[in-house]
Amino acid sequence: MLEEKARIIRKHIIKMIYTAGSGHPGGSLSATDILTALYFNVMRHDPKNPKWEDRDRFILSKGHAAPALYSALATSGYFPVEELLTLRKLGSRLQGHPDMRKLPGVEASTGSEGQGLSIGIGMALHAKLNRKLYRVYVMIGDGENDCGQIWEAAMSGAHFKTDNLTVILDRNGLQLDGPTRQIMDIEPLVSKWKSFGWKVIEINGHSFREILNAFNRAKSVKGKPTIIITHTIKGKGVSFMEGAVSFHGKSPNKEEYEQAMKELG
Amino acid sequence: MWNKKTQRDAFAEALVEIGSRRKDVVVLTADLSSSVKTNRFAEKFPEHHFNVGISEQNMMSIAAGLAASGSRVFASTFAVFGTSRVYDQIRQSIAWPKLNVNIVATHAGITVGGDGASHQMLEDVALMCSLPNMTVIVPCDALETKKAVKFVVDYNGPTYIRLGRSDVPTITQENALFSIGKAMVMKDGKDITLIGTGTMVSRCLLAAEKLEKDNIDATVINMSTIKPVDEKMIIKYAKETGAVVTAEEHNIIGGLGSMVSTVLSENVPVPMKRIGIPDVFGESGKSDELMEKYGLTPENIAEAAHEVMKRRGKQK
Ligand SMILES: Cc1ncc(C[n+]2csc(CCOP(=O)(O)OP(=O)(O)O)c2C)c(N)n1
Ligand SMILES: [Mg+2]
């Protein structure tokens, strides 16, 4: 069931980006399984009531993966699936990067990397102050992990004991210019986050069993926030996009599009 | 002749008053609570005050997350760290989604004194005015500061409130109303219009006294909101007096002077002159020495008034 949802979401992503003529397929596809698990299993939310006060919040800090977020939202019922094809068009609610004032279900305006984790901490603090039980989920990229603000936020998340906050680090090993190992090596990642006071869980980000299990474990952690490092494949699901730096931020051409849609079934 | 008080103390008083009547307010600072005086709010309402350490970028985005959830937020630090260092966080996390975050920046301007250029923020108004959705307020004294802080808590959208470090003379009245976008006439005259903002309003009043000795009757306007600027007031007095001088403790580019000259050139192109920091970085020194060196004294304003009146000629 989750596998099937993820397949549909991947097809939407490819079609949207192809129709728009631009966008970021790689990081959208690596994040798809996690977003599917969040929107169709983990999070308490109501697509018919996007402003419900007690909803869990998801922030896509790596805002360039907007197609994955939009597809998950549309498939959940926040807005019509047909609207997905307006991505990046003049007048569309589906901006190139998420705009919380335009599209229902978008919790934060992002696109400049490095800020979503701090925003998530703000939301988690608001919940604590107002005795709200909602949880906050933030997805960051492994390239985004270079940003200084991420580490400012890492420190303050632990300091303020935001155990209602779960971060997903999409460890697809690639950033814009190449492999993270070459551009800016972020290892040893687990011990870094541990030493910043976080509970760290490491999983395969394409195994629903591991994903659901990790989110469950994160819920029971008290007194500190949790980060789930999800090992993923950039471009997952489309053979020629998998592990390809070139598909970080470009649309497939006609042949590639047809090939991709065929592979996704 | 005037009583003196720091705007920071007024800010602290306003926060405590706000905190005692509502529970949705959150105050953030970045290791400067004793300097920006949010510590007084923290003593009374410790749960609603967060010190994030020296992480201003983090602070601005946390402020956005709190505001997006429904909290009314004040984020306070020095002007230099609360604007240029975090311009992108303000732009992306706060201004673009039009969130209710009030940035209260202290230690703005050259009167910071001894700390020198690194801490004398002279470009903040330009930066904040260039952001869509942002309101920019520069109160002229402690009294107006208190009113402005209490005003913005219910205002819909982000605001930037610019405060200084030192004592400033209290020149407004207890019963004067503060409202965003409304300038205040401090003295009504017919020969020339002096428009000041922040610490320069009292200096405009002193300049007006000097001008009186030369039989020149000046209007003095306190332009406490730079954006949206009170166009009506500018146009009205430009028409009546036919000559304008602006005065601000900010770079001459991008602040009050630029704002006023735009309004004038598009509506009533009368002669004008801008008093401000002449597009340079500051340096260490005593406040008064610096104001003198950079040409921000009442004498400088009065001289500028004579100059524009000469350019205007006899008829208005
Ligand atoms: C502050 C900032 N700098 C640069 C960029 C341009 N940019 C967009 S995506 C990207 C690489 C992101 O890599 P990663 O976070 O690993 O994302 P993913 O691999 O999941 O797509 C860069 C540099 C940006 N959006 N924000
Ligand atoms: Mg990556």
Side-chain angles (χ1 to χ4, degrees):
Chain A
M1 145 71 182
L2 286 176
E3 282 81 359
E4 178 56 13
K5 286 278 184 222
R7 187 182 69 82
I8 293 167
I9 289 174
R10 284 197 166 87
K11 288 189 78 169
H12 284 317
I13 292 170
I14 296 297
K15 197 165 177 190
M16 290 164 80
I17 295 175
Y18 175 67
T19 309
S22 66
H24 298 79
S28 297
L29 294 170
S30 63
T32 298
D33 294 326
I34 296 138
L35 283 171
T36 307
L38 281 170
Y39 279 92
F40 290 95
N41 183 299
V42 177
M43 288 203 302
R44 298 188 325 140
H45 66 120
D46 179 3
K48 295 284 161 272
N49 187 8
K51 291 280 162 209
W52 176 37
E53 266 197 37
D54 297 321
R55 71 192 184 279
D56 289 344
R57 273 88 164 150
F58 173 74
I59 297 170
L60 183 67
S61 190
K62 42 169 248 180
H64 58 279
L69 174 62
Y70 299 159
S71 303
L73 289 173
T75 318
S76 308
Y78 281 87
F79 54 88
V81 166
E82 300 75 58
E83 198 174 337
L84 288 175
L85 295 185
T86 67
L87 174 72
R88 292 180 170 239
K89 296 227 155 58
L90 187 65
S92 171
R93 299 194 288 176
L94 282 68
Q95 294 290 296
H97 292 83
D99 182 336
M100 64 179 277
R101 294 300 186 199
K102 288 208 155 83
L103 194 64
V106 173
E107 300 284 0
S109 298
T110 52
S112 178
E113 299 244 275
Q115 303 186 19
L117 183 46
S118 305
I119 296 175
I121 291 170
M123 291 182 180
L125 291 176
H126 180 89
K128 296 234 169 228
L129 268 177
N130 296 282
R131 316 256 180 287
K132 296 261 175 215
L133 295 177
Y134 67 76
R135 296 189 63 79
V136 182
Y137 297 91
V138 179
M139 177 182 277
I140 63 174
D142 51 2
E144 185 176 14
N145 200 81
D146 299 348
C147 299
Q149 191 181 350
I150 290 291
W151 297 100
E152 296 183 355
M155 252 184 287
S156 51
H159 181 78
F160 297 129
K161 303 189 169 57
T162 51
D163 51 15
N164 48 353
L165 171 75
T166 304
V167 170
I168 305 105
L169 191 152
D170 188 3
R171 185 69 172 118
N172 58 28
L174 299 179
Q175 52 197 110
L176 191 146
D177 274 338
T180 54
R181 197 171 2 90
Q182 277 172 28
I183 305 302
M184 182 51 66
D185 194 359
I186 55 177
E187 293 294 346
L189 203 50
V190 172
S191 58
K192 275 195 185 110
W193 281 91
K194 269 198 184 141
S195 71
F196 272 71
W198 287 58
K199 164 80 180 172
V200 184
I201 301 174
E202 229 184 337
I203 61 163
N204 171 357
H206 299 307
S207 155
F208 282 110
R209 192 182 50 77
E210 289 189 33
I211 295 173
L212 297 181
N213 185 31
F215 280 123
N216 250 333
R217 282 172 63 198
K219 274 184 203 165
S220 59
V221 175
K222 292 284 166 256
K224 56 165 108 172
T226 298
I227 181 164
I228 305 174
I229 297 172
T230 58
H231 290 276
T232 59
I233 296 168
K234 201 154 172 170
K236 171 76 177 177
V238 176
S239 60
F240 56 90
M241 290 185 180
E242 289 193 358
V245 176
S246 60
F247 276 104
H248 165 75
K250 80 163 180 194
S251 155
N253 62 28
K254 189 156 187 295
E255 291 76 55
E256 288 164 343
Y257 167 69
E258 279 160 8
Q259 167 79 20
M261 292 304 271
K262 200 188 296 165
E263 286 183 22
L264 290 168
Chain B
M1 62 181 170
W2 287 313
N3 290 325
K4 285 188 157 193
K5 183 171 173 175
T6 71
Q7 296 178 308
R8 293 179 285 154
D9 284 319
F11 167 47
E13 286 166 18
L15 280 185
V16 170
E17 279 182 32
I18 293 166
S20 47
R21 72 184 154 79
R22 53 198 294 168
K23 290 281 146 271
D24 59 347
V25 168
V26 181
V27 177
L28 303 174
T29 188
D31 202 22
L32 282 173
S33 69
S34 50
S35 306
V36 300
K37 310 272 183 177
T38 58
N39 55 354
R40 297 211 210 129
F41 177 89
E43 280 161 22
K44 290 235 148 96
F45 314 102
E47 278 205 346
H48 288 254
H49 182 272
F50 294 96
N51 191 334
V52 299
I54 312 168
S55 70
E56 293 81 6
Q57 306 178 357
N58 186 36
M59 173 170 79
M60 290 304 175
S61 304
I62 289 180
L66 281 158
S69 314
S71 292
R72 296 277 165 166
V73 188
F74 287 90
S76 188
T77 178
F78 290 172
V80 67
F81 309 128
T83 57
S84 56
R85 190 173 181 104
V86 291
Y87 184 79
D88 189 53
Q89 281 73 18
I90 298 175
R91 179 181 189 274
Q92 311 271 345
S93 300
I94 297 173
W96 176 30
K98 201 177 184 216
L99 291 166
N100 297 326
V101 174
N102 305 297
I103 300 163
V104 180
T106 71
H107 294 64
I110 195 123
T111 45
V112 158
D115 277 347
S118 68
H119 282 56
Q120 292 161 339
M121 191 19 137
L122 300 169
E123 313 93 57
D124 53 331
V125 172
L127 287 170
M128 292 301 106
C129 280
S130 69
L131 283 171
N133 293 334
M134 184 60 81
T135 293
V136 180
I137 301 168
V138 187
C140 69
D141 63 8
L143 208 51
E144 193 175 38
T145 300
K146 194 165 172 183
K147 289 175 194 163
V149 171
K150 286 161 81 171
F151 187 95
V152 297
V153 76
D154 283 312
Y155 185 72
N156 190 21
T159 68
Y160 176 72
I161 301 184
R162 179 189 215 232
L163 309 179
R165 182 185 72 93
S166 355
D167 283 349
V168 285
T170 300
I171 52 174
T172 57
Q173 305 300 318
E174 196 75 53
N175 61 356
L177 289 182
F178 173 86
S179 184
I180 285 175
K182 287 262 175 289
M184 192 189 290
V185 179
M186 308 293 289
K187 175 182 177 301
D188 214 331
K190 57 184 190 326
D191 297 326
I192 170 108
T193 303
L194 311 178
I195 307 178
T197 192
T199 51
M200 294 305 284
V201 181
S202 63
R203 291 181 172 87
C204 286
L205 287 170
L206 294 173
E209 277 179 22
K210 289 187 191 308
L211 291 168
E212 227 162 68
K213 296 198 178 107
D214 302 325
N215 277 325
I216 296 167
D217 185 14
T219 283
V220 176
I221 292 173
N222 167 21
M223 192 62 72
S224 49
T225 310
I226 309 292
K227 189 188 151 191
V229 81
D230 192 341
E231 293 201 15
K232 273 199 194 130
M233 181 81 87
I234 297 170
I235 293 168
K236 175 170 184 270
Y237 280 91
K239 276 187 184 152
E240 282 179 26
T241 63
V244 175
V245 174
T246 59
E248 63 197 307
E249 199 189 324
H250 183 272
N251 191 341
I252 199 127
I253 296 171
L256 172 74
S258 297
M259 200 62 105
V260 170
S261 71
T262 309
V263 174
L264 292 179
S265 58
E266 287 185 348
N267 298 279
V268 254
V270 299
M272 80 160 305
K273 190 168 173 67
R274 296 164 300 155
I275 295 285
I277 305 289
D279 197 24
V280 292
F281 288 103
E283 62 183 301
S284 293
K286 292 212 176 72
S287 299
D288 290 345
E289 294 169 348
L290 292 164
M291 293 298 264
E292 204 157 302
K293 171 160 184 186
Y294 291 97
L296 275 73
T297 63
E299 289 75 15
N300 297 124
I301 299 169
E303 263 168 49
H306 281 293
E307 187 199 315
V308 279
M309 286 175 68
K310 200 179 282 170
R311 275 199 268 138
R312 181 195 63 196
K314 282 266 174 291
Q315 87 245 60
K316 288 179 191 169

